[in-house]
Amino acid sequence: MSDGGVHGREKLGEDGVHGRELYARLHVSPDASDEDIKKAYRVYAQVYHPDKYQTHQMQDIATENFQRIREAYEILSDERKRQIYDIYGMEGLVSGLELGPKLNTPEEIKAEFERMKQRQEEEKFAAHVRPSGSWLATLSLPQFLKGGGIMKGMVMSSEVQSHVSRKDTIVLGGNMAVSGDSGGGAATAMFRHQISSASSMEVVASAGLRSLLGFNTSRHLSLHSTGTMGISVSFKDGSVNLENTWTRQLSESSSGNIHLILGADPNIAVGWQRKEERNSAAGELKFGPTVFGATGHYTHHFSSKSHGRIGGRIGSNALEFEIGGGRRISDYSTIRMLCSLGFEGIFWKFELHRGSQKLIVPVLLTRALSPLVATGALVLPSSLYAFLKVCVIKPYYRKRENQKILDKRQKTLSQVLEARAAASNAQTLLQNVANRKQKKQAERGGLVITKAVYGNLKGHSEKEEETTLGIDNELPLPILDVTIPLNFLVDDSGQLKLHEGIKKSGIMGFCDPCPGEPKQLEVSYTFRDQPYKVVVDDYGGLQLP
């Protein structure tokens, strides 16, 4: 069921939660009792029953809307169908769950639905191939200024993962490193078998500079911890390495791990990771007979598109500090620039991440830790980025986003016009009752909705600005006047309540005027002859006065 009366399948929101349109149609909360649902159905049935109208046109309009509220009533008044709808929306009802074995509890319904979806996903996943790789090219400015080549070294790695069956995966990969006049490479093949939902095993073979044969096994030790054990034999010197890794979920946003290696180069590493909505951090302490060091980084997301990063490492053979930031330039691509200072010199590091592919280009500015160069390396990119962001990047992205919105509105134009027509028809039948309620409330100085609009309020402002500038894109406004349905929903006690967690486009007389865009409801009203205005989000609750 699409919004505004166009029948179809109810869609999931961006957060994966369906809009609960059926509750919106009857204007009841998700916790409503059977009696509340029956009462709400009777209220709308008195307005939308076709027998109440004389002309064929009004009867057709009433029939369409009566079918919508009857459908909502039949599903929500059926305990089993309501359970399915509450968990998965209309998708669950049309997927075949109601035709299967008797499911009595939400847990049984959810388990059955998950099994059905898992079978469908496994069919798609079995033939899925996922490539990944990275390319690191180190450039040297001092070497170039002395007349040499600018390329100092290069490291490339690539990997292809293929699911050959539901439980078996093959991974083929290779890497190559070049530094100056020397270089080398290796090829790796791995076979992974999922023994059960809690355990798996891997066989790894590598040929080249690091030829070896290894075996790993992994198992979930508990709900929050995982253990991995492995053994490998080197073809080069016959040495045997044993590896053990323990990982544990410390909280909802953090985890820790211990990695132990016994063999030719024994060491132990203790790591920690934390990831929240806007911040993430990670650190590791590693020590052994020949190595000792610590690494860490912290990332803060200023918005959904830009972030800042600070990190460093210190140890027996390294001292480095880096600072910088990045920006998401598309749904799958992110660019980042960092300034690094350490024993090896002062670097600019440029990174491009796209999906599972990475391109990293460190540029050596100078090997000497010059305060002047270090200051310039930090200030120059920041100043340049600030200038480009204000004068180039923001105007470009704003223009591109606006064009995307216009293209989307053009594609959904017929759907929106149809939904608007259905909403207008629904409002026509509500108008007489809404007018009586509005007049009654005005006489007693109660709650009177003077103006209410629903949709993309920001987009509406931009549309008005375009009209002022003489720009006409011939598309309808991304808002809908919903004054009539809100006056209808004012109860006898003079209160209006919209339930939280319910998408407002499902309310009778509403529709979605701008699919895929953020929406809000703006209500102007009077109470005791005093004017007020309130704005709520699409899923937000509202209670007036």
Side-chain angles (χ1 to χ4, degrees):
M1 283 156 283
S2 62
D3 300 318
V6 183
H7 292 277
R9 179 178 297 184
E10 182 177 352
K11 297 180 180 179
L12 296 180
E14 293 181 358
D15 55 359
V17 179
H18 67 82
R20 294 177 171 175
E21 181 185 329
L22 300 186
Y23 289 102
R25 288 187 198 175
L26 296 180
H27 190 54
V28 294
S29 75
D31 300 324
S33 64
D34 292 342
E35 188 60 35
D36 292 334
I37 293 172
K38 289 178 182 178
K39 182 179 178 181
Y41 172 67
R42 292 193 202 103
V43 170
Y44 276 111
Q46 291 176 0
V47 177
Y48 289 125
H49 200 287
D51 293 344
K52 294 179 63 65
Y53 302 95
Q54 304 299 321
T55 66
H56 290 298
Q57 181 183 4
M58 295 300 288
Q59 286 178 348
D60 290 342
I61 294 173
T63 299
E64 179 184 351
N65 286 279
F66 183 74
Q67 289 174 347
R68 295 185 67 220
I69 62 168
R70 183 162 184 82
E71 179 187 40
Y73 173 71
E74 289 176 348
I75 293 174
L76 297 184
S77 60
D78 185 301
E79 181 180 0
R80 185 164 158 270
K81 289 183 178 179
R82 183 177 176 181
Q83 287 179 341
I84 295 174
Y85 178 77
D86 285 346
I87 299 173
Y88 292 107
M90 293 303 294
E91 182 183 1
L93 292 173
V94 301
S95 65
L97 277 177
E98 67 270 31
L99 303 178
K102 183 67 175 178
L103 305 173
N104 295 316
T105 67
E107 289 75 17
E108 292 175 342
I109 294 170
K110 187 173 183 178
E112 176 66 15
F113 189 84
E114 289 295 343
R115 281 193 291 270
M116 293 176 61
K117 294 199 72 174
Q118 184 178 359
R119 286 195 295 269
Q120 295 172 358
E121 290 297 324
E122 286 175 348
E123 292 175 358
K124 297 179 182 179
F125 204 59
H128 191 51
V129 176
R130 291 185 292 173
S132 62
S134 64
W135 179 34
L136 185 148
T138 304
L139 309 181
S140 175
L141 189 58
Q143 181 176 295
F144 177 73
L145 294 176
K146 291 179 180 179
I150 194 170
M151 182 69 71
K152 182 182 178 184
M154 180 183 296
V155 178
M156 298 176 63
S157 65
S158 183
E159 180 180 284
V160 177
Q161 183 176 144
S162 177
H163 293 267
V164 295
S165 70
R166 291 172 54 186
K167 294 186 176 182
D168 299 327
T169 303
I170 291 179
V171 181
L172 300 176
N175 62 76
M176 180 185 70
V178 177
S179 180
D181 297 329
S182 61
T188 303
M190 183 186 73
F191 172 77
R192 181 187 300 119
H193 176 70
Q194 194 72 30
I195 301 172
S196 68
S197 59
S199 60
S200 63
M201 55 162 283
E202 296 177 352
V203 178
V204 183
S206 179
L209 288 179
R210 192 168 176 263
S211 301
L212 57 83
L213 178 66
F215 175 81
N216 301 316
T217 180
S218 177
R219 182 174 179 81
H220 292 290
L221 304 177
S222 68
L223 184 62
H224 302 291
S225 60
T226 303
T228 301
M229 181 173 61
I231 182 172
S232 62
V233 179
S234 173
F235 293 143
K236 185 177 181 180
D237 55 12
S239 61
V240 178
N241 286 326
L242 298 176
E243 294 187 37
N244 284 279
T245 303
W246 297 273
T247 303
R248 181 170 179 81
Q249 194 74 27
L250 304 177
S251 67
E252 291 184 358
S253 58
S254 63
S255 62
N257 64 275
I258 299 176
H259 187 199
L260 174 65
I261 297 179
L262 300 176
D265 186 19
N267 63 79
I268 184 171
V270 180
W272 171 83
Q273 303 85 33
R274 184 178 182 87
K275 187 173 183 180
E276 298 176 335
E277 184 178 358
R278 299 180 69 90
N279 304 303
S280 63
E284 184 182 73
L285 179 64
K286 186 175 183 180
F287 50 92
T290 60
V291 63
F292 173 80
T295 62
H297 70 262
Y298 170 78
T299 303
H300 176 74
H301 290 268
F302 302 106
S303 66
S304 60
K305 293 186 177 181
S306 61
H307 67 271
R309 180 184 174 96
I310 185 172
R313 59 191 181 104
I314 184 173
S316 53
N317 56 2
L319 176 62
E320 183 182 23
F321 170 78
E322 64 179 23
I323 185 171
R327 184 176 180 86
R328 184 166 60 89
I329 57 176
S330 71
D331 292 339
Y332 305 102
S333 302
T334 300
I335 57 173
R336 180 187 294 161
M337 180 179 178
L338 302 167
C339 180
S340 172
L341 296 84
F343 285 158
E344 295 183 359
I346 300 174
F347 286 82
W348 277 342
K349 187 185 293 183
F350 302 92
E351 300 181 8
L352 171 63
H353 299 251
R354 180 170 177 81
S356 55
Q357 308 288 331
K358 292 190 298 184
L359 170 63
I360 303 175
V361 183
V363 179
L364 175 64
L365 301 179
T366 176
R367 288 196 174 278
L369 292 179
S370 166
L372 181 61
V373 176
T375 303
L378 287 170
V379 174
L380 182 60
S382 303
S383 303
L384 181 61
Y385 175 74
F387 171 77
L388 293 175
K389 182 178 180 180
V390 173
C391 300
V392 179
I393 298 175
K394 276 193 172 182
Y396 169 75
Y397 277 103
R398 183 180 178 184
K399 182 179 179 181
R400 194 177 75 165
E401 290 300 318
N402 288 341
Q403 188 60 48
K404 283 184 178 180
I405 292 174
L406 290 176
D407 292 342
K408 182 181 291 185
R409 290 179 185 174
Q410 190 68 51
K411 290 179 181 179
T412 59
L413 179 59
S414 59
Q415 172 191 342
V416 170
L417 291 177
E418 185 179 354
R420 282 178 173 272
S424 178
N425 290 337
Q427 289 189 22
T428 299
L429 302 184
L430 296 175
Q431 188 164 11
N432 288 337
V433 179
N435 288 344
R436 289 199 300 268
K437 287 188 175 185
Q438 186 179 29
K439 183 178 179 181
K440 183 178 179 181
Q441 291 296 322
E443 290 173 351
R444 63 169 64 168
L447 175 63
V448 176
I449 309 299
T450 56
K451 182 71 173 179
V453 292
Y454 169 71
N456 187 343
L457 303 183
K458 181 181 178 182
H460 177 222
S461 300
E462 292 175 351
K463 176 73 175 180
E464 288 181 333
E465 182 179 340
E466 290 176 356
T467 303
T468 303
L469 295 174
I471 303 173
D472 185 10
N473 54 38
E474 299 181 353
L475 294 174
L477 293 174
I479 62 169
L480 178 73
D481 190 311
V482 292
T483 308
I484 292 174
L486 288 192
N487 273 309
F488 175 84
L489 294 177
V490 176
D491 60 26
D492 294 336
S493 64
Q495 290 189 330
L496 171 65
K497 183 176 182 180
L498 301 181
H499 303 287
E500 187 173 358
I502 297 179
K503 188 176 174 65
K504 294 174 178 57
S505 60
I507 299 173
M508 299 300 292
F510 280 57
C511 76
D512 189 342
C514 47
E517 299 179 37
K519 286 168 279 291
Q520 292 178 308
L521 173 65
E522 181 182 276
V523 183
S524 300
Y525 66 97
T526 61
F527 180 68
R528 295 176 181 173
D529 299 324
Q530 295 295 318
Y532 300 93
K533 181 184 286 189
V534 63
V535 177
V536 293
D537 292 331
D538 200 6
Y539 286 86
L542 174 66
Q543 184 163 351
L544 301 177

